[in-house]
Amino acid sequence: TCAPDYYRWTQWIFLQFLEAGLAYQKEAAVNWDPVDQTVLANEQVDSDGRSWRSGAMVERRLLRQWFLKITDYAEQLLTDLDKLDGWPERVKLMQANWIGKSVGARVTFKTKDDQDIVIFTTRPDTLWGATFMVLSPEHPLVESLTTEAQRAAVETYQKEAAAKSEVERTADDRSKTGVFTGGYATNPVNGEQVPVWIADYVLMDYGTGAIMAVPAHDQRDFDFAQAFGLDIVQVVFAPDADPVEAAPLAEAYSDNASGVLQNSGPLDGLTVPKAKKRVIKYLEEQGIGTAQTTYRLRDWLISRQRYWGVPIPVIHCPDCGTVPVPEADLPVELPEDVTFAGRGPSPLAKLDHWVNVDCPTCGTPAKRETDTMDTFIDSSWYFLRYCDANNDQQVFDKGKVNDWMAVDQYVGGIEHAILHLLYSRFFTKVLRDRGLLNVDEPFKRLLTQGMVQGMTYKNPVSGKYIPSESVADPSHPMDPETGEPLEVFYEKMSKSKYNGTAPGAVLAKYGADTARMFVLFKAPPEKDLEWDDADVEGQFRFLNRVWRLVQEFALVEPKPAANELSKAEKDLRRAIHTAIKDVTEDFEGDYQFNTAVSELMKLSNALSDYQDKASAVYEEGIRTLIAMLAPFAPHIAEELWQAIGETESVHRAPWPQVDPDALVVDEIPLVIQVMGKTRGTIQVPSKSDKAALEQLAKESELAQRY
RNA sequence: GCGGAUGUGGCGGAAUUGGUAGACGCGCUAGAUUUAGGUUCUAGUGUCUUCGGACGUGGGGGUUCAAGUCCCUUCAUCCGCACCA
């Protein structure tokens, strides 16, 4: 994605976004990584407020930046999750959470001097219970609402809030802080005067930055009211049979299911769901509010003050404003004659000959945009380019993309749940709406594979991690210095925890085939894998057994195929074809390679136990085993394939096919239960009808005994 | 707090539509081979047992001839989101 013949098209796609009105600049309080000296998208800041890349605490800065309007696609990105049957529920939920849809209403409260305070609420049915309002400290109306008596307190609070980071403001500590502005507003449904407060738990960038507070029915509002003695609690719904009074309320009453509205004018007597519908109509009739849906998803900030990235292909002209670079001038290449001065501002900004250009529209001197794009842009469409990777005329051929897409199976880590996987869905939908392709969703099936974890020794007293080499007796691990017993557990590998495994050492000792077999066998692909040297040994043993089995077989002179198979031969043949069936199903289904490997082991065991090594069925078994081993242990399988006299590569050999006849059994063990208890089995002909089976069961020794 | 997932031997994990729970592997026990250790091979390995059996898939209850699987309830662990109005 860093090659100009790729990012040329990344820039072209950016221009498509620009043309569609989906790329724009705005000044906003953004996430600034002080270590990498760049801004970051919301998705790239973890819940502790740290940069996904540098790990530094992110600061807020007011900067003019480029954004992509992913919010325009919030609803589609949410509803189309239902189409993704092949995705883990967990990932879909994380995306739904991140998009954060809330359905409710905007309602306008009036101040004394007739200014509008617009609030957003998901509970417009509780409007009659609103007894105060809270604005975000940054809310533009705070200044005019604040009375002289309260001004000092309000300004102090605003300063404190501004100094706090987003994380501090939303930290675990739920104790409420806030200040009364001295101002009042009118509740539009009942004309009550309600005091207006400011508090930092109300966030300027969600909803409208202002809320109505309903202490009787919202626990946060209740807590706030208690903390500040706002004891006007108006109850507006209650269980029908058990009206709740204001006075004894110990906590907010928020059981919506059984509530019936009271003290609420036109809503009285309605259930909560009905009141929610009715109130919207009422607000609209009265001209005081409308239905509204909000999303937590924010537009995607894509500007980066980094050198390594795709230059944003626009030119800033003093006369024409922001002008896109004409398609014919793409790519805007990253200059190579830059000077890096450690960490600091992007070196692009200092490169005058690159920055200074003529405006493509009017020809007057202008300046290039020096920000580059978030690298997640590059990876949001590469799967489309894969369909037509060498096209130098267009981004990709529509026919080819429609033919190949969507991706049948995507494999990736859970860490991309709300990053790459959301961005790629967004890009696919935008490019579809630009008429460039016909698919709605890029990835049909998603497998989030687990991580490899290492065996970790930790002294629970000192908290120190101990390298495994220092542990003398692994069955009773002790701290070599203090003799204290150690905790043993599995955790993500890390140098500081001495729990890593050097792949080179494993490969040198056992070979790549063993390592691969171990990884596939140890756990199903979506689960974390606990690296255990003893299990690696186990795989090594298995491959050695197969090796010996084939070497022994190579010395035997096989007999020609018999017309009539003995019972032993039939049994072996059934084992062979059961293995083919099961391994094939593991490949075609959910990639449960752990059970596929175990099927290979079973087949190997069956062959190992089989006496007549010269039988043609035995030979079939050996050939089948090697052929099915090939995808798991390609080197050994190739070697063994030659050992049995083949000259072509095993990897070109056809995959073994199931012979349904081989799976048929003449006799099956029938489970006998007497009075609901399993008592044993009897052998019965597999083609018996119900009456015959009942007869056999009644005559059986088990039936006599119980 | 909200949402989701998962609970099966000493361990990792298997078990089609409800039909012999614990496949396969690790580990462990005993024996054989070996000067010894390792390797390799054989047998055993859910718990209890008066050797007849009984019990057993986090706990409790239910449906069924039959439940790891279906229903109700409860507990625990992990993950995501979290003052989102």
Side-chain angles (χ1 to χ4, degrees):
Chain A
T1 57
C2 61
D5 60 359
Y6 179 86
Y7 71 63
R8 168 189 181 181
W9 300 112
T10 306
Q11 290 174 335
W12 184 86
I13 289 173
F14 175 86
L15 295 180
Q16 292 288 305
F17 275 73
L18 197 61
E19 197 177 298
L22 294 169
Y24 67 97
Q25 298 174 89
K26 77 171 175 193
E27 181 146 21
V30 296
N31 305 302
W32 175 261
D33 179 335
V35 170
D36 279 356
Q37 299 269 314
T38 184
V39 296
L40 295 171
N42 291 342
E43 291 83 357
Q44 292 156 7
V45 180
D46 69 19
S47 52
D48 298 331
R50 293 181 183 277
S51 160
W52 72 291
R53 206 158 171 281
S54 71
M57 287 302 294
V58 166
E59 299 165 4
R60 288 171 79 78
R61 287 206 182 173
L62 204 60
L63 291 169
R64 188 168 173 81
Q65 300 286 315
W66 283 95
F67 290 83
L68 294 189
K69 226 171 180 179
I70 193 171
T71 52
D72 272 14
Y73 284 80
E75 185 62 31
Q76 272 189 59
L77 288 168
L78 182 66
T79 52
D80 282 359
L81 287 174
D82 292 341
K83 294 182 186 169
L84 300 175
D85 298 330
W87 281 39
E89 208 56 36
R90 182 160 76 121
V91 175
K92 290 194 274 186
L93 264 152
M94 282 167 74
Q95 292 208 356
N97 256 328
W98 187 256
I99 294 167
K101 181 179 182 177
S102 294
V103 178
R106 280 168 87 86
V107 184
T108 305
F109 284 57
K110 292 275 186 196
T111 65
K112 273 184 181 155
D113 47 357
D114 207 34
Q115 297 197 77
D116 290 351
I117 306 180
V118 180
I119 58 111
F120 172 73
T121 176
T122 56
R123 296 301 306 275
D125 54 303
T126 63
L127 253 169
W128 280 260
T131 54
F132 60 98
M133 298 182 77
V134 188
L135 306 190
S136 166
E138 299 90 2
H139 197 283
L141 286 177
V142 172
E143 201 189 335
S144 62
L145 274 164
T146 303
T147 58
E148 283 317 307
Q150 292 298 103
R151 189 159 302 276
V154 166
E155 283 175 2
T156 305
Y157 188 82
Q158 283 179 315
K159 271 183 203 151
E160 280 170 11
K164 283 191 206 171
S165 69
E166 178 86 356
V167 181
E168 285 170 315
R169 282 180 61 167
T170 58
D172 279 347
D173 174 21
R174 275 150 193 271
S175 60
K176 298 275 188 290
T177 62
V179 175
F180 180 39
T181 62
Y184 286 82
T186 308
N187 185 336
V189 293
N190 58 12
E192 298 278 340
Q193 291 294 297
V194 296
V196 181
W197 286 62
I198 60 171
D200 64 6
Y201 80 90
V202 177
L203 309 172
M204 194 58 223
D205 62 359
Y206 185 78
T208 61
I211 61 165
M212 66 168 188
V214 185
H217 304 294
D218 183 288
Q219 191 59 42
R220 291 158 310 185
D221 298 344
F222 186 89
D223 293 344
F224 191 85
Q226 282 218 317
F228 296 99
L230 296 162
D231 49 3
I232 327 140
V233 176
Q234 170 80 330
V235 176
V236 290
F237 67 88
D240 198 15
D242 177 26
V244 179
E245 296 302 327
L249 271 190
E251 57 181 13
Y253 176 74
S254 51
D255 178 9
N256 315 337
S258 60
V260 173
L261 275 284
Q262 61 188 34
N263 304 324
S264 297
L267 306 184
D268 281 354
L270 297 177
T271 61
V272 168
K274 280 184 181 160
K276 276 187 173 176
K277 281 185 194 156
R278 177 70 187 89
V279 72
I280 299 287
K281 222 176 137 194
Y282 178 77
L283 293 173
E284 283 170 354
E285 283 162 9
Q286 303 290 313
I288 50 179
T290 54
Q292 192 183 35
T293 300
T294 65
Y295 300 89
R296 286 179 50 213
L297 185 69
R298 297 275 83 94
D299 277 341
W300 176 11
L301 196 174
I302 59 155
S303 303
R304 295 292 178 275
Q305 291 74 48
R306 285 193 177 114
Y307 171 79
W308 289 109
V310 176
I312 295 175
V314 299
I315 290 164
H316 300 288
C317 169
D319 297 329
C320 312
T322 302
V323 180
V325 172
E327 265 184 59
D329 294 349
L330 298 181
V332 177
E333 289 201 47
L334 271 180
E336 295 189 14
D337 55 342
V338 287
T339 313
F340 291 96
R343 300 192 184 276
S346 167
L348 290 176
K350 294 181 289 188
L351 207 61
D352 290 342
H353 75 83
W354 188 79
V355 171
N356 295 313
V357 289
D358 292 337
C359 170
T361 309
C362 68
T364 56
K367 288 188 185 299
R368 274 193 199 288
E369 172 66 61
T370 59
D371 284 350
T372 54
M373 291 184 226
D374 183 0
T375 51
F376 275 95
I377 301 256
D378 309 347
S379 57
S380 295
W381 72 282
Y382 72 84
F383 44 90
L384 301 172
R385 185 68 180 174
Y386 278 177
C387 302
D388 192 13
N390 298 314
N391 195 329
D392 59 4
Q393 298 302 307
Q394 51 181 334
V395 63
F396 45 72
D397 178 78
K398 185 176 176 178
K400 286 183 182 170
V401 163
N402 286 337
D403 188 36
W404 282 102
M405 288 293 286
V407 175
D408 295 288
Q409 178 68 57
Y410 203 89
V411 181
I414 188 69
E415 67 275 14
H416 284 299
I418 54 168
L419 288 161
H420 173 57
L421 291 170
L422 184 64
Y423 296 149
S424 297
R425 295 182 61 223
F426 169 47
F427 262 55
T428 302
K429 290 175 192 303
V430 171
L431 296 179
R432 175 203 61 196
D433 290 348
R434 296 293 291 173
L436 295 166
L437 50 90
N438 291 338
V439 292
D440 293 327
E441 286 290 337
F443 314 130
K444 274 189 237 169
R445 297 216 305 179
L446 172 67
L447 171 67
T448 52
Q449 90 274 37
M451 276 190 304
V452 180
Q453 302 195 316
M455 192 184 276
T456 314
Y457 294 97
K458 186 183 182 181
N459 183 329
V461 181
S462 64
K464 278 187 187 161
Y465 291 90
I466 311 294
S468 60
E469 311 85 85
S470 314
V471 177
D473 177 8
S475 55
H476 297 97
M478 290 190 308
D479 189 318
E481 284 171 21
T482 64
E484 288 158 328
L486 299 176
E487 280 181 330
V488 185
F489 52 92
Y490 284 91
E491 205 174 359
K492 184 179 173 182
M493 288 184 176
S494 139
K495 276 182 190 159
S496 61
K497 291 171 183 167
Y498 309 108
N499 61 354
T501 294
V506 175
L507 297 184
K509 189 169 177 191
Y510 301 107
D513 283 347
T514 298
R516 183 185 286 105
M517 290 282 286
F518 160 73
V519 168
L520 293 172
F521 176 67
K522 178 74 178 176
E526 69 279 4
K527 286 199 65 166
D528 285 344
L529 181 154
E530 298 176 350
W531 188 282
D532 181 348
D533 290 339
D535 284 321
V536 180
E537 293 264 9
Q539 285 308 315
F540 188 62
R541 277 206 285 273
F542 168 63
L543 288 177
N544 276 311
R545 275 201 294 275
V546 175
W547 181 268
R548 283 194 301 272
L549 206 59
V550 176
Q551 300 302 328
E552 285 165 21
F553 166 76
L555 301 174
V556 175
E557 188 65 38
K559 292 185 290 193
N563 289 332
E564 194 69 22
L565 297 183
S566 67
K567 182 173 183 304
E569 283 174 321
K570 274 188 184 170
D571 287 346
L572 180 62
R573 199 145 186 277
R574 189 163 58 249
I576 295 166
H577 285 267
T578 303
I580 298 173
K581 181 169 174 282
D582 290 349
V583 173
T584 306
E585 282 172 0
D586 284 330
F587 268 107
E588 290 173 349
D590 293 327
Y591 310 127
Q592 302 298 300
F593 299 123
N594 56 328
T595 53
V597 172
S598 85
E599 292 301 328
L600 295 180
M601 289 172 167
K602 276 194 236 179
L603 178 56
S604 160
N605 291 345
L607 291 168
S608 183
D609 292 344
Y610 196 72
Q611 295 303 316
D612 181 8
K613 309 282 187 194
S615 161
V617 176
Y618 185 78
E619 183 185 356
E620 183 187 359
I622 291 286
R623 300 179 65 87
T624 304
L625 178 61
I626 300 170
M628 294 202 298
L629 188 66
F632 300 95
H635 307 96
I636 287 173
E638 188 75 313
E639 200 69 28
L640 295 176
W641 200 240
Q642 282 186 32
I644 62 169
E646 291 289 341
T647 50
E648 268 289 310
S649 168
V650 69
H651 304 297
R652 292 179 191 282
W655 186 252
Q657 296 299 306
V658 179
D659 175 3
D661 291 341
L663 300 175
V664 174
V665 284
D666 298 333
E667 274 200 330
I668 56 162
L670 180 73
V671 177
I672 302 295
Q673 292 185 341
V674 184
M675 300 298 285
K677 285 203 183 296
T678 303
R679 293 300 182 182
T681 61
I682 55 172
Q683 288 296 126
V684 298
S686 60
K687 286 176 184 138
S688 315
D689 62 14
K690 189 181 172 192
L693 285 176
E694 282 175 353
Q695 191 59 33
L696 283 167
K698 277 179 195 159
E699 287 168 1
S700 71
E701 183 262 344
L702 287 163
Q704 310 301 318
R705 193 136 59 99
Y706 296 97

